[in-house]
Amino acid sequence: MKTEEVIVDGTDQQIALSQANLPVIDIAALSDDTDDAAREVGRQLGEAARTSGFFYITGHGVPQDLIDELFAASRAFHEKPRSYKMRYWSGFTSNHRGYVPFEENGFDFPARINFNEAFDLSWEAPADHPDYLAKWRMTGPNVWPDIPGWQEVVARYYDAVFEVGLRLLDSLAMELEIDPASLRQYITCPTSQLRLLRYIENDLPKSKDLVGIDAHSDFECFTILLQGGPGLQVMNSEDYWVEAPPIPGCFIVNIGDIFETWSGGQFKSTQHRVVNTGRERYSFPLFFGLDYHAVVEPLPGYDTPEACEKYPPIKAGDHLMRMSVKAFRYMNESLENGDIKLDVEVPENNPFKRVANVIDETMKA
């Protein structure tokens, strides 16, 4: 089928369903009472989770007008002058909320550049929440720019996609023959972050040091991504890089480190990256996570001796933090000067990292 040249945000190209390199799963039945249909969706989700760990979803129920409003809201913020955006710098908070300029991505800028900036928010916890008062990172109230209607649009989108996440969580739990309630108990004040990302237009080539976002896995249960243009590449089931451009009406979902741990390694937390296309691009990942202090380890039935050795127990928030301090320069500096103290060691590499079978010559490390 010929490529559908569908314009997103005035610049970017999407592809047709038939051109997808990854599975496309209609999850509409997860909202129905038809058990057989819901089980079939779960089977498809489980198959995708065990192979590439990446898949598209349709039938999610998030209205297109809300998606359009989110793109407009993100653009309204990111088109503001830098002096305005820096009023909301995430480094002013103790719980990583607000604006992340591109030079804060990673801790080795300018030797390596991730050409993106973001506005980060998460589950809205009250200012008197014990974890916020104790300065546990990733928990607490959001900050909101003073753009009329902005908070209302972004909060509505967050709630809508988070509800999709709950349905996916339940379906994947049942596919593993786990009671969904046993997983939902860990979601009372989760570290589920939404990023409003803008990839910055530039005239530099793609390379190992000039990227949209470096290759990584995600640290939570899974990620639900809305993207406005090409650039995303993911590892398929054979550990080769494949393109994952937008498909109209679809989100793209990837399994994260928590579900790989829970499943004893059956589900794959997959490496992915955004290459530097040089073009402006908007995207919106919702990282569906757990409460900070939820202990993550292989679930009953998946807790083989080998799995327990590979996946020792760790708090969900500790894993998020040990990875985040390397992802954001201001956090890395705070760790080095003692403002951030962790109960776990920060590894050299994410223990969930996978290596591609073929390295793009322009992206060699």
Side-chain angles (χ1 to χ4, degrees):
M1 183 175 181
K2 188 178 179 180
T3 301
E4 294 182 0
E5 294 188 357
V6 180
I7 301 301
V8 180
D9 259 1
T11 58
D12 294 314
Q13 191 179 76
Q14 299 183 347
I15 63 168
L17 282 172
S18 62
Q19 296 177 302
N21 288 315
L22 299 167
V24 180
I25 303 170
D26 187 343
I27 66 167
L30 299 184
S31 301
D32 298 336
D33 295 327
T34 309
D35 291 341
D36 289 345
R39 279 195 292 269
E40 172 57 20
V41 172
R43 185 198 66 76
Q44 293 178 44
L45 293 174
E47 181 179 357
R50 288 182 173 90
T51 52
S52 66
F54 258 90
F55 47 92
Y56 293 93
I57 58 170
T58 65
H60 46 73
V62 180
Q64 184 62 45
D65 60 351
L66 179 55
I67 288 172
D68 294 342
E69 289 178 47
L70 181 70
F71 272 104
S74 185
R75 193 181 308 110
F77 176 80
H78 284 300
E79 289 180 349
K80 294 285 189 184
R82 180 180 171 90
S83 58
Y84 173 89
K85 292 185 283 192
M86 285 302 294
R87 287 163 47 187
Y88 302 98
W89 178 45
S90 57
F92 292 143
T93 72
S94 65
N95 60 329
H96 190 72
R97 298 293 197 276
Y99 176 59
V100 182
F102 80 101
E103 70 269 17
E104 291 287 358
N105 290 299
F107 57 87
D108 49 1
F109 178 89
R112 305 189 72 189
I113 301 176
N114 289 265
F115 281 104
N116 72 81
E117 59 180 350
F119 192 94
D120 291 353
L121 59 130
S122 191
W123 183 273
E124 185 84 56
D128 61 356
H129 191 284
D131 283 357
Y132 180 65
L133 295 176
K135 297 190 184 301
W136 286 104
R137 300 275 171 161
M138 308 300 182
T139 302
N142 290 316
V143 298
W144 301 99
D146 59 351
I147 300 173
W150 202 91
Q151 177 177 348
E152 187 270 336
V153 167
V154 175
R156 277 198 298 119
Y157 178 84
Y158 184 100
D159 291 344
V161 178
F162 191 84
E163 177 58 35
V164 175
L166 290 173
R167 283 184 271 143
L168 290 173
L169 178 77
D170 290 351
S171 183
L172 288 167
M174 289 187 288
E175 206 281 330
L176 290 172
E177 299 185 342
I178 298 294
D179 180 4
S182 68
L183 303 186
R184 283 213 185 196
Q185 68 174 318
Y186 301 121
I187 303 174
T188 62
C189 184
T191 59
S192 297
Q193 183 186 74
L194 174 65
R195 306 200 77 196
L196 278 62
L197 281 158
R198 172 181 172 262
Y199 292 84
I200 299 168
E201 185 176 2
N202 65 88
D203 58 2
L204 296 172
K206 71 174 183 178
S207 74
K208 70 179 180 65
D209 294 324
L210 301 172
V211 298
I213 288 182
D214 255 330
H216 64 286
S217 68
D218 289 339
F219 319 133
E220 297 84 358
C221 298
F222 47 77
T223 302
I224 305 172
L225 173 68
L226 169 66
Q227 54 174 344
L232 176 64
Q233 297 180 341
V234 308
M235 277 192 191
N236 66 7
S237 56
E238 288 80 38
D239 291 346
Y240 290 96
W241 289 112
V242 298
E243 302 290 336
I247 296 177
C250 292
F251 290 115
I252 192 164
V253 177
N254 63 275
I255 299 298
D257 299 346
I258 286 174
F259 247 118
E260 179 172 322
T261 299
W262 274 343
S263 67
Q266 289 199 21
F267 289 1
K268 287 189 176 182
S269 181
T270 306
Q271 294 283 297
H272 52 290
R273 67 189 184 187
V274 177
V275 298
N276 179 35
T277 66
R279 300 174 64 187
E280 184 180 65
R281 173 180 180 268
Y282 285 86
S283 73
F284 309 91
L286 186 283
F287 303 101
F288 192 93
L290 307 179
D291 297 349
Y292 192 103
H293 301 286
V295 176
V296 181
E297 58 189 327
L299 295 167
Y302 301 90
D303 52 351
T304 64
E306 295 80 10
C308 291
E309 180 179 2
K310 184 175 181 179
Y311 305 104
I314 189 169
K315 289 181 180 179
D318 283 349
H319 177 55
L320 177 59
M321 279 302 303
R322 71 178 180 173
M323 296 294 101
S324 295
V325 293
K326 300 188 72 174
F328 301 105
R329 188 174 66 166
Y330 86 91
M331 281 195 188
N332 189 69
E333 292 172 350
S334 294
L335 180 68
E336 290 182 347
N337 65 29
D339 289 341
I340 292 179
K341 295 180 173 62
L342 298 180
D343 295 331
V344 292
E345 183 180 353
V346 178
E348 183 67 25
N349 292 301
N350 188 344
F352 296 85
K353 182 177 181 179
R354 288 162 55 195
V355 179
N357 276 326
V358 176
I359 306 289
D360 183 337
E361 289 296 319
T362 65
M363 300 288 285
K364 272 190 174 180

